[in-house]
Amino acid sequence: ASLFDRHGIQDYCIEIGGEIVAKGKNPNGNNWRIGVIEPIEGSTTADQVINRVVELTDGRGLTTSADYRHLHEVNGKKVGHQINPKTGYPAGSDIVSATIIAKDGITADGFATAFMVMGSERVKKYVESDTTLDYFLIIKTSDSTVTTMHRLR
């Protein structure tokens, strides 16, 4: 994105490994539209289901961190790849997918991973004081249904 900016490119959407930065408008003159995938364990690119579409522009970054594709089995239990830095073990929070929109890609990526580790209750408290982030979280409830929590502007 910095390279494109230095060369005067006004309209772009760059995706590298799930991290996205978009600026300006798409070829149809609209904001860039990004689909957030439904977290279905074991899903592949061919059978993805879009849960929500968000718009991105102004050089902002979007990253989704999730625990439904990169699962590992530990003592007979499936766990995600996000590690809780306090325990050194998989986070295992109630958030199964965290999509963050921030001022740039690296900020979005950091918060997506942090939110996955924090869990929804701690995230609710955090986002009350940080109004710079937009987010779309998919949360697994105690009865194994899913709900969402979001602030998208």
Side-chain angles (χ1 to χ4, degrees), residues 25-125:
K25 304 292 182 183
N26 68 22
N28 296 325
N30 300 312
N31 289 342
W32 297 95
R33 295 171 47 91
I34 311 298
V36 178
I37 302 302
E38 183 75 28
I40 301 169
E41 185 179 322
S43 66
T44 65
T45 303
D47 59 4
Q48 297 179 122
V49 176
I50 295 177
N51 182 295
R52 172 72 58 107
V53 175
V54 296
E55 291 190 1
L56 193 62
T57 192
D58 299 328
R60 298 187 79 199
L62 178 146
T63 298
T64 297
S65 185
D67 73 353
Y68 59 95
R69 283 212 178 128
H70 303 289
L71 294 173
H72 307 280
E73 195 166 315
V74 177
N75 298 326
K77 181 181 177 189
K78 291 181 181 179
V79 295
H81 66 280
Q82 293 87 7
I83 302 299
N84 182 327
K86 289 184 178 181
T87 66
Y89 289 98
S93 81
D94 60 339
I95 299 175
V96 293
S97 176
T99 298
I100 307 300
I101 301 172
K103 64 180 180 171
D104 54 41
I106 197 164
T107 302
D109 190 38
F111 275 103
T113 302
F115 281 16
M116 289 293 296
V117 173
M118 291 168 64
S120 64
E121 290 305 314
R122 289 182 61 205
V123 168
K124 283 179 194 175
K125 291 177 185 169

